[in-house]
């Protein structure tokens, strides 16, 4: 969600083997707002992985503004993983 909360209840998330959170809307936030949004998701005890942490789609969309160094620090503190992937040809 826009504030970093997860759009599925904690009761349901607690039943899942893995929870992957990712930004899928509202990409045009300030750096501070986006950073806090992502940190809130990372601090959710049910979230295991942050997907596409930069939001960038090669050749189609620039990354969103966020303090990536701070996000990495929080992810480490919280024991969370970050997805790392790329498709250099872009979307077909």
């Amino acid at each position: 969600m826009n504030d970093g909360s997860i759009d599925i209840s904690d009761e349901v998330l607690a039943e899942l083997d893995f929870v992957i959170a990712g930004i899928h809307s509202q990409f045009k936030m300030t750096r501070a707002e986006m950073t806090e949004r992502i940190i809130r998701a990372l601090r959710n005890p049910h979230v295991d992985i942050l997907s596409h942490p930069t939001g960038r789609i090669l050749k189609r969309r620039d990354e969103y503004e966020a303090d990536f160094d701070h996000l990495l620090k929080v992810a480490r503190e919280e024991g969370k993983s970050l997805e790392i992937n790329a498709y250099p040809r872009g979307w077909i």
Side-chain angles (χ1 to χ4, degrees):
M1 305 302 290
N2 291 348
D3 65 356
S5 61
I6 307 301
D7 58 352
I8 299 172
S9 72
D10 282 343
E11 293 79 21
V12 172
L13 296 176
E15 298 293 322
L16 302 174
D17 293 330
F18 292 98
V19 175
I20 303 172
I23 303 296
H24 293 103
S25 64
Q26 298 296 322
F27 301 115
K28 302 288 185 187
M29 299 177 118
T30 67
R31 180 180 175 95
E33 290 171 327
M34 186 63 81
T35 301
E36 287 306 311
R37 178 186 189 188
I38 296 170
I39 287 172
R40 181 170 182 196
L42 287 171
R43 293 200 191 282
N44 182 302
H46 305 295
V47 169
D48 300 293
I49 301 168
L50 176 64
S51 65
H52 41 272
T54 68
R56 181 177 178 205
I57 298 176
L58 296 173
K59 301 181 182 180
R60 291 204 48 216
R61 182 176 68 212
D62 290 337
E63 67 275 358
Y64 37 71
E65 292 292 320
D67 183 343
F68 201 70
D69 289 337
H70 189 60
L71 296 178
L72 290 173
K73 180 181 177 214
V74 171
R76 183 174 184 181
E77 289 170 357
E78 297 292 327
K80 310 298 172 142
S81 298
L82 276 67
E83 172 192 48
I84 300 173
N85 66 4
Y87 184 64
R89 290 194 211 161
W91 290 85
I92 295 176

